[in-house]
């Protein structure tokens, strides 16, 4: 019993840390300014239709949930960090989308078995630390024959390489936690879903990012707004030499990925994996 209590306490502490990480900065602006189209890409791939019951896991401010609602679905946007919902509600109201916002842990979803026609996640569930638990929950709440859709950054793509660049400056991950970009590896995702799904389709795509005038502007934007980056800088706040080194590493990453080198502005292609599957009967 003591071991079980200790494990539960550690898990609660980890989830509280994750919630605080995403509540800092301004992730809604990252979603709306940097990758506004990705949610709609996932909704289209999942063929969301009017009248369907849809769950967005790790919804954030509704990057996928709002397009799903606009497609006529009955949508629940769930996230561990409800602080992100306020911005989402404002956007939904502006666009005339009606949906439900609910705090929820991706690894212990508060929904019944087979409750949804479509369960999707756009660069959301990939940040749950225990991948197999999160994947199992997505399958559990999807009805047999229903659709599971995932859009995740790949390990080899820009965001995957950004996480690799930040890793030496971050605290060690807790036991059992897996790196988020693994959700962008097709074999890993197939292994997580296993024989509980059929008709798996996986495709690597890229999104064009041309918001930042310089590599340094990209770095500073993410330092100010993106929770994981903010947390890494906080971890080395008392070490100015390491903070300066991370500054250089992130700017170098953007410079290396700049397709417009020698021209005005910074243009990058960020790779992601788009996966759809059917829950097996």
């Amino acid at each position: 019993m003591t071991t079980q209590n200790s494990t539960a306490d550690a898990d609660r502490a980890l989830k509280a840390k994750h919630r605080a990480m995403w509540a800092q900065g301004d992730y809604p602006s990252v979603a709306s300014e940097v990758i506004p189209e990705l949610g709609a890409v996932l909704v289209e791939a999942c063929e969301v239709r009017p009248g369907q019951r849809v769950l967005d896991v790790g919804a954030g401010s509704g990057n996928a949930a709002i397009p799903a609602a606009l497609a006529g679905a009955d949508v629940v946007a769930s996230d561990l960090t409800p602080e992100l919902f306020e911005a989402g509600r404002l956007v939904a109201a502006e666009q005339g989308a009606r949906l439900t916002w609910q705090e929820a842990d991706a690894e212990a979803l508060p929904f019944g078995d087979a409750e949804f026609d479509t369960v999707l996640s756009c660069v959301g569930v990939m940040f749950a630390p225990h991948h197999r638990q999160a994947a199992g929950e997505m399958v559990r709440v999807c009805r047999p024959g229903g659709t599971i859709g995932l859009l995740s950054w790949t390990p080899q793509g820009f965001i995957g390489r950004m996480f690799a660049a930040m890793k030496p400056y971050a605290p060690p991950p807790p036991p059992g936690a897996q790196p988020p970009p693994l959700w962008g590896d097709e074999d890993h995702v197939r292994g997580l879903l296993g024989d509980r799904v059929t008709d798996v389709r996986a495709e690597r795509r890229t999104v064009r990012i041309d918001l930042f005038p310089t590599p340094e502007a990209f770095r500073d934007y993410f330092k100010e707004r993106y929770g994981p980056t903010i947390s890494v800088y906080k971890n080395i706040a008392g070490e100015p030499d390491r903070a300066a080194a991370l500054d250089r590493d992130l700017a170098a990453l953007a410079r290396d990925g700049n397709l417009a080198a020698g021209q005005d502005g910074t243009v990058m292609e960020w790779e992601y994996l788009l996966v759809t599957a059917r829950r097996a009967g």
Side-chain angles (χ1 to χ4, degrees), residues 169 223 233 235-248:
Y169 305 94
K223 280 179 67 173
Y233 273 98
N235 185 58
I236 56 175
E239 305 174 76
D241 289 346
R242 295 186 73 201
L246 181 54
D247 275 348
R248 292 192 295 271

Side-chain angles (χ1 to χ4, degrees), residues 7-48:
T7 300
D9 289 343
D11 190 60
R12 280 192 291 269
L14 176 59
K15 298 301 171 58
K17 184 177 179 180
H18 271 239
R19 174 175 172 171
M21 178 181 71
W22 289 106
Q24 64 189 345
D26 186 2
Y27 182 73
S29 70
V30 176
S32 64
E33 295 174 3
V34 183
I35 52 170
E37 66 268 47
L38 289 192
V41 167
L42 180 58
V43 168
E44 181 179 2
C46 291
E47 299 180 349
V48 172

Side-chain angles (χ1 to χ4, degrees), residues 118-165:
T118 298
V119 181
L120 52 79
S121 185
C122 180
V123 295
V125 74
M126 65 179 291
F127 291 100
H130 305 110
H131 295 186
R132 194 162 296 279
Q133 285 178 235
E137 283 293 274
M138 291 188 73
V139 173
R140 179 184 67 80
V141 301
C142 185
R143 67 167 175 80
T147 300
I148 295 170
L150 299 160
L151 192 156
S152 311
W153 302 119
T154 66
Q156 305 86 356
F158 183 86
I159 296 297
R161 289 188 289 124
M162 184 182 79
F163 273 88

Side-chain angles (χ1 to χ4, degrees), residues 13-276:
L14 176 59
K15 298 301 171 58
K17 184 177 179 180
H18 271 239
R19 174 175 172 171
M21 178 181 71
W22 289 106
Q24 64 189 345
D26 186 2
Y27 182 73
S29 70
V30 176
S32 64
E33 295 174 3
V34 183
I35 52 170
E37 66 268 47
L38 289 192
V41 167
L42 180 58
V43 168
E44 181 179 2
C46 291
E47 299 180 349
V48 172
R49 300 186 301 276
Q52 287 186 330
R53 180 96 164 128
V54 174
L55 174 65
D56 185 358
V57 180
S61 51
N63 204 24
I66 292 172
L70 291 173
D74 177 9
V75 179
V76 177
S78 68
D79 200 283
L80 184 67
T81 308
E83 290 88 344
L84 302 174
F85 293 165
E86 182 178 357
R89 289 189 180 100
L90 292 174
V91 174
E94 291 172 357
Q95 298 187 12
R98 299 183 64 181
L99 61 157
T100 300
W101 303 86
Q102 184 166 344
E103 180 179 351
D105 179 355
E107 297 176 4
L109 293 171
F111 308 108
D113 294 354
E115 189 171 331
F116 296 92
D117 300 299
T118 298
V119 181
L120 52 79
S121 185
C122 180
V123 295
V125 74
M126 65 179 291
F127 291 100
H130 305 110
H131 295 186
R132 194 162 296 279
Q133 285 178 235
E137 283 293 274
M138 291 188 73
V139 173
R140 179 184 67 80
V141 301
C142 185
R143 67 167 175 80
T147 300
I148 295 170
L150 299 160
L151 192 156
S152 311
W153 302 119
T154 66
Q156 305 86 356
F158 183 86
I159 296 297
R161 289 188 289 124
M162 184 182 79
F163 273 88
M166 295 192 299
K167 184 177 179 179
Y169 305 94
Q178 294 178 282
L182 277 179
W183 282 86
D185 179 274
E186 181 179 346
D187 289 339
H188 182 70
V189 175
R190 285 181 178 272
L192 293 176
L193 299 175
D195 59 6
R196 296 172 297 184
V197 302
T198 62
D199 301 326
V200 178
R201 297 182 179 181
E203 180 184 359
R204 287 189 184 186
R205 298 185 184 182
T206 60
V207 57
R208 189 176 183 89
I209 307 296
D210 57 7
L211 178 67
F212 307 107
T214 65
E216 291 75 17
F218 153 78
R219 176 200 64 205
D220 294 344
Y221 183 98
F222 270 64
K223 280 179 67 173
E224 178 184 354
R225 306 192 188 199
Y226 192 59
T229 307
I230 295 169
S231 292
V232 171
Y233 273 98
K234 283 185 175 180
N235 185 58
I236 56 175
E239 305 174 76
D241 289 346
R242 295 186 73 201
L246 181 54
D247 275 348
R248 292 192 295 271
D249 289 349
L250 291 180
L253 179 68
R255 190 172 296 109
D256 181 61
N258 185 14
L259 302 177
Q263 306 174 41
D264 290 337
T266 300
V267 178
M268 297 175 278
E269 298 281 350
W270 294 2
E271 185 182 65
Y272 61 87
L273 180 70
L274 179 64
V275 176
T276 60

